[in-house]
């Protein structure tokens, strides 16, 4: 490999973490008619933002009333980013890449609504007592690089702000199979609702970070960089590119808006390489024919 070259890494999924929850001490059955009142679930509204269609999990430190039926402001939508404005959290030292419109909090809410359907987690509601407290442990099932801890924080706090999450590892750590690197404590129902979505984000991001780290290790001592592409899963652009940074790679363009990149289809549409470059050089303005 020559100095100065760049590699493009495709985003791949990598099974990585496991949540173990303590045994249940007793069982109870909750009829579907009561399920909507007990667990994170969408309200019956057909318009408005996700915040208008979702109500929070009931926990002892919160009101039992529904979330306000209004759209969140931009400041509220971007609140999850503010923690890096004040300095990186110890367990998430790598800040997310900038994006003018991407709202990770809203993506998490959509994912929870997708999981909840009309009734919420009917299995948890039917088998886990409402007042049962639990503890889940994050356990690495393979060697790799941890990524996505801050996203998991957001998932757990969205489902139930009363949950207590503690990390003993941080994004970018190389861990061995069997390593425990975090715990979450609180309502067993809330943990069971949140854990799969938190793991989905963490598994994907950890897989991308692990693959990226393996490539960056190969180019140590050179001036080469590992870049990624826009070939990310729809809706997961920011987590995918964030994971590349955690793995030691470099973000290429975030979207169509932040860089001109002339490819074969642009050359064909513009009538050749020279016209395409000329159009791009004239103030980077859209070309209309």
């Amino acid at each position: 490999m020559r100095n100065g070259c760049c590699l493009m890494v495709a985003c791949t999924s990598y099974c990585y973490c496991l949540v173990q929850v303590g045994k249940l001490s007793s069982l109870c059955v909750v009829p579907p008619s009561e399920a909507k009142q007990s667990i994170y679930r969408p309200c019956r509204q057909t318009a408005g933002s996700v915040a208008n269609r979702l109500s929070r999990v009931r926990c002892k430190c919160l009101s039992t009333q529904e979330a306000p039926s209004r759209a969140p402001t931009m400041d509220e939508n971007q609140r999850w980013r503010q923690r890096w404005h004040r300095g990186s959290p110890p367990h998430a030292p790598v800040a997310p890449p900038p994006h003018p419109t991407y709202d990770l909090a809203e993506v998490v809410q959509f994912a929870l609504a997708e999981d909840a359907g009309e009734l919420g987690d009917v299995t948890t509601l039917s088998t886990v007592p409402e007042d049962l407290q639990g503890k889940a442990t994050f356990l690495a099932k393979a060697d790799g690089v941890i990524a996505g801890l801050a996203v998991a924080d957001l998932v757990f706090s969205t489902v139930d702000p009363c949950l207590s999450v503690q990390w003993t590892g941080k994004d970018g750590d190389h861990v061995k199979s069997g390593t425990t690197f975090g715990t979450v404590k609180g309502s067993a129902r809330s943990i069971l609702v949140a854990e799969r979505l938190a793991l989905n984000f963490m598994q994907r991001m950890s897989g991308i970070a692990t693959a990226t780290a393996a490539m960056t290790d190969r180019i140590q001592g050179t001036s080469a960089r590992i870049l990624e592409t826009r070939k990310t899963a729809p809706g997961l652009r920011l987590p995918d590119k964030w994971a590349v940074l955690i793995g030691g790679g470099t973000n290429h363009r975030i979207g169509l808006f932040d860089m001109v990149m002339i490819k074969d289809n642009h050359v064909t549409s513009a009538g050749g390489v020279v016209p395409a470059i000329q159009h791009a050089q004239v103030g980077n303005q859209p070309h209309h024919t």
Side-chain angles (χ1 to χ4, degrees), residues 83-115:
R83 59 197 315 184
W84 286 275
H85 296 164
R86 300 188 295 267
S88 299
H91 59 282
V94 179
H99 194 289
T101 60
Y102 192 97
D103 180 13
L104 184 59
E106 188 172 61
V107 171
V108 167
Q109 289 180 322
F110 268 118
L112 287 167
E114 178 182 56
D115 228 8

PDB file of all heavy atoms in Angstrom, residues 83-115:
ATOM      1  N   ARG A  83     -24.167  17.404  25.231  1.00  0.00           N
ATOM      2  CA  ARG A  83     -23.203  16.827  26.165  1.00  0.00           C
ATOM      3  C   ARG A  83     -21.789  16.955  25.620  1.00  0.00           C
ATOM      4  O   ARG A  83     -20.831  17.080  26.382  1.00  0.00           O
ATOM      5  CB  ARG A  83     -23.554  15.377  26.468  1.00  0.00           C
ATOM      6  CG  ARG A  83     -23.587  14.455  25.279  1.00  0.00           C
ATOM      7  CD  ARG A  83     -24.317  13.154  25.568  1.00  0.00           C
ATOM      8  NE  ARG A  83     -23.938  12.569  26.836  1.00  0.00           N
ATOM      9  CZ  ARG A  83     -24.394  11.393  27.254  1.00  0.00           C
ATOM     10  NH1 ARG A  83     -25.262  10.731  26.516  1.00  0.00           N
ATOM     11  NH2 ARG A  83     -24.012  10.902  28.400  1.00  0.00           N
ATOM     12  N   TRP A  84     -21.597  16.937  24.285  1.00  0.00           N
ATOM     13  CA  TRP A  84     -20.263  17.095  23.715  1.00  0.00           C
ATOM     14  C   TRP A  84     -19.850  18.568  23.638  1.00  0.00           C
ATOM     15  O   TRP A  84     -18.678  18.863  23.578  1.00  0.00           O
ATOM     16  CB  TRP A  84     -20.195  16.443  22.339  1.00  0.00           C
ATOM     17  CG  TRP A  84     -20.163  14.951  22.448  1.00  0.00           C
ATOM     18  CD1 TRP A  84     -19.072  14.150  22.649  1.00  0.00           C
ATOM     19  CD2 TRP A  84     -21.286  14.075  22.406  1.00  0.00           C
ATOM     20  NE1 TRP A  84     -19.442  12.836  22.724  1.00  0.00           N
ATOM     21  CE2 TRP A  84     -20.798  12.748  22.575  1.00  0.00           C
ATOM     22  CE3 TRP A  84     -22.661  14.262  22.226  1.00  0.00           C
ATOM     23  CZ2 TRP A  84     -21.634  11.644  22.578  1.00  0.00           C
ATOM     24  CZ3 TRP A  84     -23.487  13.171  22.238  1.00  0.00           C
ATOM     25  CH2 TRP A  84     -22.978  11.868  22.410  1.00  0.00           C
ATOM     26  N   HIS A  85     -20.833  19.470  23.642  1.00  0.00           N
ATOM     27  CA  HIS A  85     -20.510  20.897  23.688  1.00  0.00           C
ATOM     28  C   HIS A  85     -19.886  21.264  25.030  1.00  0.00           C
ATOM     29  O   HIS A  85     -19.098  22.203  25.127  1.00  0.00           O
ATOM     30  CB  HIS A  85     -21.766  21.740  23.458  1.00  0.00           C
ATOM     31  CG  HIS A  85     -22.363  21.543  22.101  1.00  0.00           C
ATOM     32  ND1 HIS A  85     -23.656  21.941  21.782  1.00  0.00           N
ATOM     33  CD2 HIS A  85     -21.870  20.983  20.972  1.00  0.00           C
ATOM     34  CE1 HIS A  85     -23.910  21.635  20.524  1.00  0.00           C
ATOM     35  NE2 HIS A  85     -22.842  21.057  20.016  1.00  0.00           N
ATOM     36  N   ARG A  86     -20.235  20.530  26.048  1.00  0.00           N
ATOM     37  CA  ARG A  86     -19.701  20.793  27.390  1.00  0.00           C
ATOM     38  C   ARG A  86     -18.469  19.939  27.696  1.00  0.00           C
ATOM     39  O   ARG A  86     -17.943  19.989  28.797  1.00  0.00           O
ATOM     40  CB  ARG A  86     -20.780  20.496  28.444  1.00  0.00           C
ATOM     41  CG  ARG A  86     -22.047  21.339  28.301  1.00  0.00           C
ATOM     42  CD  ARG A  86     -22.976  21.110  29.489  1.00  0.00           C
ATOM     43  NE  ARG A  86     -23.469  19.750  29.543  1.00  0.00           N
ATOM     44  CZ  ARG A  86     -24.609  19.353  28.997  1.00  0.00           C
ATOM     45  NH1 ARG A  86     -25.369  20.221  28.340  1.00  0.00           N
ATOM     46  NH2 ARG A  86     -25.013  18.090  29.103  1.00  0.00           N
ATOM     47  N   GLY A  87     -18.018  19.174  26.716  1.00  0.00           N
ATOM     48  CA  GLY A  87     -16.916  18.236  26.928  1.00  0.00           C
ATOM     49  C   GLY A  87     -17.419  16.815  26.776  1.00  0.00           C
ATOM     50  O   GLY A  87     -18.529  16.485  27.190  1.00  0.00           O
ATOM     51  N   SER A  88     -16.626  15.964  26.181  1.00  0.00           N
ATOM     52  CA  SER A  88     -17.059  14.605  25.874  1.00  0.00           C
ATOM     53  C   SER A  88     -17.328  13.801  27.143  1.00  0.00           C
ATOM     54  O   SER A  88     -16.560  13.877  28.099  1.00  0.00           O
ATOM     55  CB  SER A  88     -15.995  13.889  25.041  1.00  0.00           C
ATOM     56  OG  SER A  88     -15.778  14.545  23.814  1.00  0.00           O
ATOM     57  N   PRO A  89     -18.413  13.022  27.164  1.00  0.00           N
ATOM     58  CA  PRO A  89     -18.643  12.109  28.295  1.00  0.00           C
ATOM     59  C   PRO A  89     -17.505  11.095  28.378  1.00  0.00           C
ATOM     60  O   PRO A  89     -16.948  10.712  27.342  1.00  0.00           O
ATOM     61  CB  PRO A  89     -19.970  11.439  27.924  1.00  0.00           C
ATOM     62  CG  PRO A  89     -20.581  12.291  26.869  1.00  0.00           C
ATOM     63  CD  PRO A  89     -19.465  12.941  26.144  1.00  0.00           C
ATOM     64  N   PRO A  90     -17.149  10.643  29.567  1.00  0.00           N
ATOM     65  CA  PRO A  90     -16.029   9.694  29.707  1.00  0.00           C
ATOM     66  C   PRO A  90     -16.214   8.423  28.889  1.00  0.00           C
ATOM     67  O   PRO A  90     -15.232   7.873  28.376  1.00  0.00           O
ATOM     68  CB  PRO A  90     -16.017   9.392  31.210  1.00  0.00           C
ATOM     69  CG  PRO A  90     -16.656  10.578  31.850  1.00  0.00           C
ATOM     70  CD  PRO A  90     -17.701  11.042  30.881  1.00  0.00           C
ATOM     71  N   HIS A  91     -17.450   7.949  28.761  1.00  0.00           N
ATOM     72  CA  HIS A  91     -17.672   6.697  28.041  1.00  0.00           C
ATOM     73  C   HIS A  91     -17.937   6.913  26.551  1.00  0.00           C
ATOM     74  O   HIS A  91     -18.133   5.948  25.823  1.00  0.00           O
ATOM     75  CB  HIS A  91     -18.848   5.936  28.660  1.00  0.00           C
ATOM     76  CG  HIS A  91     -20.137   6.689  28.645  1.00  0.00           C
ATOM     77  ND1 HIS A  91     -20.418   7.688  29.537  1.00  0.00           N
ATOM     78  CD2 HIS A  91     -21.225   6.592  27.839  1.00  0.00           C
ATOM     79  CE1 HIS A  91     -21.621   8.179  29.286  1.00  0.00           C
ATOM     80  NE2 HIS A  91     -22.134   7.525  28.264  1.00  0.00           N
ATOM     81  N   ALA A  92     -17.952   8.165  26.098  1.00  0.00           N
ATOM     82  CA  ALA A  92     -18.181   8.470  24.680  1.00  0.00           C
ATOM     83  C   ALA A  92     -17.274   9.619  24.260  1.00  0.00           C
ATOM     84  O   ALA A  92     -17.732  10.720  23.971  1.00  0.00           O
ATOM     85  CB  ALA A  92     -19.646   8.814  24.436  1.00  0.00           C
ATOM     86  N   PRO A  93     -15.961   9.382  24.227  1.00  0.00           N
ATOM     87  CA  PRO A  93     -15.016  10.468  23.963  1.00  0.00           C
ATOM     88  C   PRO A  93     -15.053  11.003  22.536  1.00  0.00           C
ATOM     89  O   PRO A  93     -14.588  12.120  22.291  1.00  0.00           O
ATOM     90  CB  PRO A  93     -13.656   9.831  24.282  1.00  0.00           C
ATOM     91  CG  PRO A  93     -13.866   8.362  24.075  1.00  0.00           C
ATOM     92  CD  PRO A  93     -15.274   8.100  24.506  1.00  0.00           C
ATOM     93  N   VAL A  94     -15.574  10.223  21.601  1.00  0.00           N
ATOM     94  CA  VAL A  94     -15.629  10.654  20.201  1.00  0.00           C
ATOM     95  C   VAL A  94     -16.988  11.291  19.930  1.00  0.00           C
ATOM     96  O   VAL A  94     -18.027  10.641  20.084  1.00  0.00           O
ATOM     97  CB  VAL A  94     -15.407   9.469  19.244  1.00  0.00           C
ATOM     98  CG1 VAL A  94     -15.492   9.932  17.794  1.00  0.00           C
ATOM     99  CG2 VAL A  94     -14.059   8.814  19.521  1.00  0.00           C
ATOM    100  N   ALA A  95     -16.986  12.555  19.535  1.00  0.00           N
ATOM    101  CA  ALA A  95     -18.237  13.267  19.267  1.00  0.00           C
ATOM    102  C   ALA A  95     -18.866  12.775  17.970  1.00  0.00           C
ATOM    103  O   ALA A  95     -18.159  12.335  17.057  1.00  0.00           O
ATOM    104  CB  ALA A  95     -17.979  14.766  19.179  1.00  0.00           C
ATOM    105  N   PRO A  96     -20.201  12.839  17.852  1.00  0.00           N
ATOM    106  CA  PRO A  96     -20.852  12.442  16.602  1.00  0.00           C
ATOM    107  C   PRO A  96     -20.510  13.413  15.489  1.00  0.00           C
ATOM    108  O   PRO A  96     -20.232  14.589  15.750  1.00  0.00           O
ATOM    109  CB  PRO A  96     -22.345  12.503  16.953  1.00  0.00           C
ATOM    110  CG  PRO A  96     -22.429  13.486  18.071  1.00  0.00           C
ATOM    111  CD  PRO A  96     -21.169  13.310  18.861  1.00  0.00           C
ATOM    112  N   PRO A  97     -20.513  12.963  14.236  1.00  0.00           N
ATOM    113  CA  PRO A  97     -20.233  13.879  13.123  1.00  0.00           C
ATOM    114  C   PRO A  97     -21.342  14.915  13.000  1.00  0.00           C
ATOM    115  O   PRO A  97     -22.493  14.655  13.354  1.00  0.00           O
ATOM    116  CB  PRO A  97     -20.196  12.950  11.904  1.00  0.00           C
ATOM    117  CG  PRO A  97     -20.978  11.742  12.300  1.00  0.00           C
ATOM    118  CD  PRO A  97     -20.775  11.591  13.773  1.00  0.00           C
ATOM    119  N   PRO A  98     -21.023  16.099  12.501  1.00  0.00           N
ATOM    120  CA  PRO A  98     -22.036  17.150  12.374  1.00  0.00           C
ATOM    121  C   PRO A  98     -23.018  16.848  11.247  1.00  0.00           C
ATOM    122  O   PRO A  98     -22.662  16.240  10.240  1.00  0.00           O
ATOM    123  CB  PRO A  98     -21.211  18.399  12.060  1.00  0.00           C
ATOM    124  CG  PRO A  98     -19.994  17.864  11.365  1.00  0.00           C
ATOM    125  CD  PRO A  98     -19.694  16.551  12.027  1.00  0.00           C
ATOM    126  N   HIS A  99     -24.251  17.248  11.447  1.00  0.00           N
ATOM    127  CA  HIS A  99     -25.286  17.140  10.408  1.00  0.00           C
ATOM    128  C   HIS A  99     -26.335  18.196  10.702  1.00  0.00           C
ATOM    129  O   HIS A  99     -26.790  18.318  11.846  1.00  0.00           O
ATOM    130  CB  HIS A  99     -25.913  15.744  10.402  1.00  0.00           C
ATOM    131  CG  HIS A  99     -26.724  15.460   9.177  1.00  0.00           C
ATOM    132  ND1 HIS A  99     -27.944  16.065   8.942  1.00  0.00           N
ATOM    133  CD2 HIS A  99     -26.483  14.654   8.114  1.00  0.00           C
ATOM    134  CE1 HIS A  99     -28.424  15.627   7.795  1.00  0.00           C
ATOM    135  NE2 HIS A  99     -27.570  14.772   7.267  1.00  0.00           N
ATOM    136  N   PRO A 100     -26.745  18.981   9.704  1.00  0.00           N
ATOM    137  CA  PRO A 100     -27.654  20.099   9.973  1.00  0.00           C
ATOM    138  C   PRO A 100     -29.073  19.714  10.328  1.00  0.00           C
ATOM    139  O   PRO A 100     -29.790  20.492  10.955  1.00  0.00           O
ATOM    140  CB  PRO A 100     -27.619  20.898   8.654  1.00  0.00           C
ATOM    141  CG  PRO A 100     -27.270  19.883   7.610  1.00  0.00           C
ATOM    142  CD  PRO A 100     -26.328  18.926   8.288  1.00  0.00           C
ATOM    143  N   THR A 101     -29.505  18.509   9.959  1.00  0.00           N
ATOM    144  CA  THR A 101     -30.913  18.154  10.176  1.00  0.00           C
ATOM    145  C   THR A 101     -31.117  16.836  10.906  1.00  0.00           C
ATOM    146  O   THR A 101     -32.216  16.570  11.380  1.00  0.00           O
ATOM    147  CB  THR A 101     -31.658  18.062   8.826  1.00  0.00           C
ATOM    148  OG1 THR A 101     -31.047  17.053   8.004  1.00  0.00           O
ATOM    149  CG2 THR A 101     -31.631  19.398   8.097  1.00  0.00           C
ATOM    150  N   TYR A 102     -30.103  16.007  10.996  1.00  0.00           N
ATOM    151  CA  TYR A 102     -30.281  14.667  11.583  1.00  0.00           C
ATOM    152  C   TYR A 102     -30.554  14.773  13.078  1.00  0.00           C
ATOM    153  O   TYR A 102     -29.813  15.431  13.810  1.00  0.00           O
ATOM    154  CB  TYR A 102     -29.034  13.826  11.355  1.00  0.00           C
ATOM    155  CG  TYR A 102     -29.229  12.352  11.661  1.00  0.00           C
ATOM    156  CD1 TYR A 102     -29.521  11.450  10.650  1.00  0.00           C
ATOM    157  CD2 TYR A 102     -29.116  11.865  12.964  1.00  0.00           C
ATOM    158  CE1 TYR A 102     -29.699  10.098  10.925  1.00  0.00           C
ATOM    159  CE2 TYR A 102     -29.291  10.519  13.241  1.00  0.00           C
ATOM    160  CZ  TYR A 102     -29.579   9.642  12.224  1.00  0.00           C
ATOM    161  OH  TYR A 102     -29.753   8.304  12.498  1.00  0.00           O
ATOM    162  N   ASP A 103     -31.609  14.113  13.523  1.00  0.00           N
ATOM    163  CA  ASP A 103     -31.992  14.136  14.931  1.00  0.00           C
ATOM    164  C   ASP A 103     -32.025  12.707  15.455  1.00  0.00           C
ATOM    165  O   ASP A 103     -32.973  11.959  15.219  1.00  0.00           O
ATOM    166  CB  ASP A 103     -33.356  14.800  15.094  1.00  0.00           C
ATOM    167  CG  ASP A 103     -33.807  14.853  16.545  1.00  0.00           C
ATOM    168  OD1 ASP A 103     -32.969  14.612  17.430  1.00  0.00           O
ATOM    169  OD2 ASP A 103     -34.991  15.114  16.798  1.00  0.00           O
ATOM    170  N   LEU A 104     -30.979  12.319  16.161  1.00  0.00           N
ATOM    171  CA  LEU A 104     -30.880  10.957  16.673  1.00  0.00           C
ATOM    172  C   LEU A 104     -31.990  10.641  17.669  1.00  0.00           C
ATOM    173  O   LEU A 104     -32.484   9.510  17.721  1.00  0.00           O
ATOM    174  CB  LEU A 104     -29.513  10.744  17.317  1.00  0.00           C
ATOM    175  CG  LEU A 104     -29.215   9.336  17.820  1.00  0.00           C
ATOM    176  CD1 LEU A 104     -29.305   8.315  16.690  1.00  0.00           C
ATOM    177  CD2 LEU A 104     -27.840   9.282  18.471  1.00  0.00           C
ATOM    178  N   ALA A 105     -32.390  11.643  18.461  1.00  0.00           N
ATOM    179  CA  ALA A 105     -33.464  11.409  19.433  1.00  0.00           C
ATOM    180  C   ALA A 105     -34.755  11.005  18.734  1.00  0.00           C
ATOM    181  O   ALA A 105     -35.489  10.131  19.204  1.00  0.00           O
ATOM    182  CB  ALA A 105     -33.685  12.665  20.274  1.00  0.00           C
ATOM    183  N   GLU A 106     -35.027  11.616  17.591  1.00  0.00           N
ATOM    184  CA  GLU A 106     -36.245  11.281  16.858  1.00  0.00           C
ATOM    185  C   GLU A 106     -36.135   9.900  16.227  1.00  0.00           C
ATOM    186  O   GLU A 106     -37.109   9.139  16.171  1.00  0.00           O
ATOM    187  CB  GLU A 106     -36.521  12.331  15.776  1.00  0.00           C
ATOM    188  CG  GLU A 106     -37.874  12.168  15.104  1.00  0.00           C
ATOM    189  CD  GLU A 106     -38.197  13.329  14.182  1.00  0.00           C
ATOM    190  OE1 GLU A 106     -37.433  13.533  13.210  1.00  0.00           O
ATOM    191  OE2 GLU A 106     -39.186  14.031  14.439  1.00  0.00           O
ATOM    192  N   VAL A 107     -34.940   9.536  15.769  1.00  0.00           N
ATOM    193  CA  VAL A 107     -34.724   8.198  15.211  1.00  0.00           C
ATOM    194  C   VAL A 107     -34.984   7.138  16.276  1.00  0.00           C
ATOM    195  O   VAL A 107     -35.626   6.112  16.006  1.00  0.00           O
ATOM    196  CB  VAL A 107     -33.288   8.075  14.660  1.00  0.00           C
ATOM    197  CG1 VAL A 107     -32.969   6.635  14.278  1.00  0.00           C
ATOM    198  CG2 VAL A 107     -33.102   8.978  13.447  1.00  0.00           C
ATOM    199  N   VAL A 108     -34.519   7.386  17.495  1.00  0.00           N
ATOM    200  CA  VAL A 108     -34.760   6.449  18.589  1.00  0.00           C
ATOM    201  C   VAL A 108     -36.253   6.331  18.870  1.00  0.00           C
ATOM    202  O   VAL A 108     -36.784   5.235  19.081  1.00  0.00           O
ATOM    203  CB  VAL A 108     -33.997   6.893  19.856  1.00  0.00           C
ATOM    204  CG1 VAL A 108     -34.480   6.120  21.080  1.00  0.00           C
ATOM    205  CG2 VAL A 108     -32.500   6.697  19.660  1.00  0.00           C
ATOM    206  N   GLN A 109     -36.958   7.450  18.867  1.00  0.00           N
ATOM    207  CA  GLN A 109     -38.399   7.416  19.124  1.00  0.00           C
ATOM    208  C   GLN A 109     -39.137   6.651  18.032  1.00  0.00           C
ATOM    209  O   GLN A 109     -40.061   5.880  18.318  1.00  0.00           O
ATOM    210  CB  GLN A 109     -38.932   8.843  19.245  1.00  0.00           C
ATOM    211  CG  GLN A 109     -38.488   9.542  20.523  1.00  0.00           C
ATOM    212  CD  GLN A 109     -39.020  10.958  20.624  1.00  0.00           C
ATOM    213  OE1 GLN A 109     -39.103  11.680  19.635  1.00  0.00           O
ATOM    214  NE2 GLN A 109     -39.373  11.368  21.827  1.00  0.00           N
ATOM    215  N   PHE A 110     -38.736   6.841  16.783  1.00  0.00           N
ATOM    216  CA  PHE A 110     -39.346   6.083  15.693  1.00  0.00           C
ATOM    217  C   PHE A 110     -39.107   4.584  15.881  1.00  0.00           C
ATOM    218  O   PHE A 110     -40.007   3.764  15.665  1.00  0.00           O
ATOM    219  CB  PHE A 110     -38.774   6.524  14.344  1.00  0.00           C
ATOM    220  CG  PHE A 110     -39.562   7.605  13.669  1.00  0.00           C
ATOM    221  CD1 PHE A 110     -38.991   8.833  13.404  1.00  0.00           C
ATOM    222  CD2 PHE A 110     -40.884   7.400  13.284  1.00  0.00           C
ATOM    223  CE1 PHE A 110     -39.707   9.835  12.779  1.00  0.00           C
ATOM    224  CE2 PHE A 110     -41.617   8.390  12.663  1.00  0.00           C
ATOM    225  CZ  PHE A 110     -41.020   9.622  12.407  1.00  0.00           C
ATOM    226  N   ALA A 111     -37.896   4.221  16.263  1.00  0.00           N
ATOM    227  CA  ALA A 111     -37.565   2.810  16.444  1.00  0.00           C
ATOM    228  C   ALA A 111     -38.384   2.190  17.577  1.00  0.00           C
ATOM    229  O   ALA A 111     -38.845   1.047  17.473  1.00  0.00           O
ATOM    230  CB  ALA A 111     -36.068   2.659  16.725  1.00  0.00           C
ATOM    231  N   LEU A 112     -38.578   2.940  18.656  1.00  0.00           N
ATOM    232  CA  LEU A 112     -39.401   2.440  19.761  1.00  0.00           C
ATOM    233  C   LEU A 112     -40.856   2.281  19.337  1.00  0.00           C
ATOM    234  O   LEU A 112     -41.521   1.318  19.697  1.00  0.00           O
ATOM    235  CB  LEU A 112     -39.297   3.388  20.952  1.00  0.00           C
ATOM    236  CG  LEU A 112     -37.965   3.351  21.707  1.00  0.00           C
ATOM    237  CD1 LEU A 112     -37.856   4.537  22.653  1.00  0.00           C
ATOM    238  CD2 LEU A 112     -37.818   2.045  22.478  1.00  0.00           C
ATOM    239  N   ALA A 113     -41.351   3.246  18.562  1.00  0.00           N
ATOM    240  CA  ALA A 113     -42.729   3.163  18.077  1.00  0.00           C
ATOM    241  C   ALA A 113     -42.899   1.974  17.142  1.00  0.00           C
ATOM    242  O   ALA A 113     -43.919   1.275  17.166  1.00  0.00           O
ATOM    243  CB  ALA A 113     -43.110   4.453  17.365  1.00  0.00           C
ATOM    244  N   GLU A 114     -41.886   1.719  16.322  1.00  0.00           N
ATOM    245  CA  GLU A 114     -41.914   0.567  15.419  1.00  0.00           C
ATOM    246  C   GLU A 114     -42.016  -0.731  16.202  1.00  0.00           C
ATOM    247  O   GLU A 114     -42.730  -1.659  15.815  1.00  0.00           O
ATOM    248  CB  GLU A 114     -40.637   0.583  14.575  1.00  0.00           C
ATOM    249  CG  GLU A 114     -40.484  -0.570  13.605  1.00  0.00           C
ATOM    250  CD  GLU A 114     -39.174  -0.502  12.850  1.00  0.00           C
ATOM    251  OE1 GLU A 114     -38.108  -0.459  13.515  1.00  0.00           O
ATOM    252  OE2 GLU A 114     -39.200  -0.491  11.613  1.00  0.00           O
ATOM    253  N   ASP A 115     -41.287  -0.807  17.313  1.00  0.00           N
ATOM    254  CA  ASP A 115     -41.288  -2.006  18.143  1.00  0.00           C
ATOM    255  C   ASP A 115     -42.594  -2.156  18.925  1.00  0.00           C
ATOM    256  O   ASP A 115     -43.072  -3.267  19.149  1.00  0.00           O
ATOM    257  CB  ASP A 115     -40.114  -1.930  19.129  1.00  0.00           C
ATOM    258  CG  ASP A 115     -39.297  -3.208  19.173  1.00  0.00           C
ATOM    259  OD1 ASP A 115     -39.542  -4.106  18.342  1.00  0.00           O
ATOM    260  OD2 ASP A 115     -38.405  -3.306  20.029  1.00  0.00           O
TER     261      ASP A 115
END
